[in-house]
Amino acid sequence: MNQLSLGGAFITFLAVVGPPKVLLSFASLAQTRTTHQLRTLALVSSAGAALVGLLADVTAPALFGIFHISTEALEIAGGAIFFVYAVGLVLGLHFGVQEEEGGPGLSDGIRELLLPYIVSPLAMTALLLESTARNDWTWRAVVGGAYVAVVAIDLLCVLLLNRVLQATHHTTVELLARLLGLLLAAVGVDLVLDGLEGLAVPLGPREY
């Protein structure tokens, strides 16, 4: 993940928290919300995602030092958490707001978006790894800028497609969620394997 360029950082973040992964979460929330509510939720959650990302970017070296963690441990932990989330998608389990407590309120929507978007395990893992790839503030500014740019693209896609998301049938959303969950589970496993490989665990050849 340590691509030492603006383009490399941008592509990394686009892959881990880009529109394909974000739009499905908003499509699920759009089923019970008006256009105005969905737009407000998109703006607030995107601002939260950008703020959390920038905070992680700035404090990355300190976090590694305070918690005494290695990049390999972070890859394994991030991959494992995201794998659990992806398995939940495949099985139709929705982490966040409990079914009986869910509703069109802003706070409920924010809580449902915490894990897949605002504090995405893959995005936070990529941010921390990219930020510590170089020990200088210029590079961290580049990483933070690339991440915020991807969040802005996500927001733009949600705002432009909000009516399409609202019109998407619930069954279609569930079907796409199961398929995406399978693919994301594989991404989580791959991240864990990257961590194990970094620890010199013999895993054999891997093809992409």
Side-chain angles (χ1 to χ4, degrees):
M1 289 188 182
N2 296 333
Q3 305 292 329
L4 302 184
S5 67
L6 175 59
F10 179 80
I11 291 173
T12 295
F13 297 136
L14 193 64
V16 300
V17 71
K21 296 179 176 65
V22 171
L23 285 175
L24 187 60
S25 298
F26 278 98
S28 178
L29 295 173
Q31 307 298 305
T32 57
R33 285 168 173 79
T34 65
T35 299
H36 175 70
Q37 289 173 329
L38 186 61
R39 286 176 177 171
T40 302
L41 178 59
L43 288 168
V44 174
S45 62
S46 295
L51 181 61
V52 171
L54 290 174
L55 184 62
D57 176 42
V58 171
T59 60
L63 291 176
F64 273 90
I66 292 173
F67 290 96
H68 301 288
I69 57 177
S70 63
T71 56
E72 293 80 12
L74 180 62
E75 288 178 326
I76 294 172
I81 292 171
F82 203 75
F83 175 79
V84 172
Y85 169 74
V87 169
L89 283 180
V90 175
L91 299 179
L93 305 175
H94 299 282
F95 298 104
V97 181
Q98 296 297 319
E99 191 69 28
E100 65 271 17
E101 297 176 353
L106 180 63
S107 60
D108 291 326
I110 292 297
R111 279 182 288 174
E112 287 198 50
L113 289 170
L114 281 176
L115 182 60
Y117 183 42
I118 300 174
V119 194
S120 165
L122 284 183
M124 293 301 105
T125 299
L127 258 171
L128 293 172
L129 293 178
E130 290 282 0
S131 296
T132 54
R134 286 183 184 175
N135 190 26
D136 65 79
W137 286 102
T138 300
W139 172 242
R140 284 184 205 128
V142 168
V143 171
Y147 180 74
V148 171
V150 171
V151 171
I153 291 174
D154 292 336
L155 173 60
L156 182 62
C157 288
V158 174
L159 294 179
L160 291 177
L161 300 175
N162 66 84
R163 294 190 181 278
V164 175
L165 298 178
Q166 289 174 317
T168 304
H169 195 276
H170 178 71
T171 302
T172 303
V173 174
E174 285 295 319
L175 177 63
L176 292 175
R178 306 297 171 90
L179 176 59
L180 183 62
L182 174 61
L183 299 176
L184 294 181
V187 173
V189 171
D190 205 47
L191 189 57
V192 171
L193 293 178
D194 284 342
L196 293 175
E197 208 167 46
L199 294 173
V201 176
L203 299 174
R206 295 164 61 191
E207 296 183 3
Y208 295 94

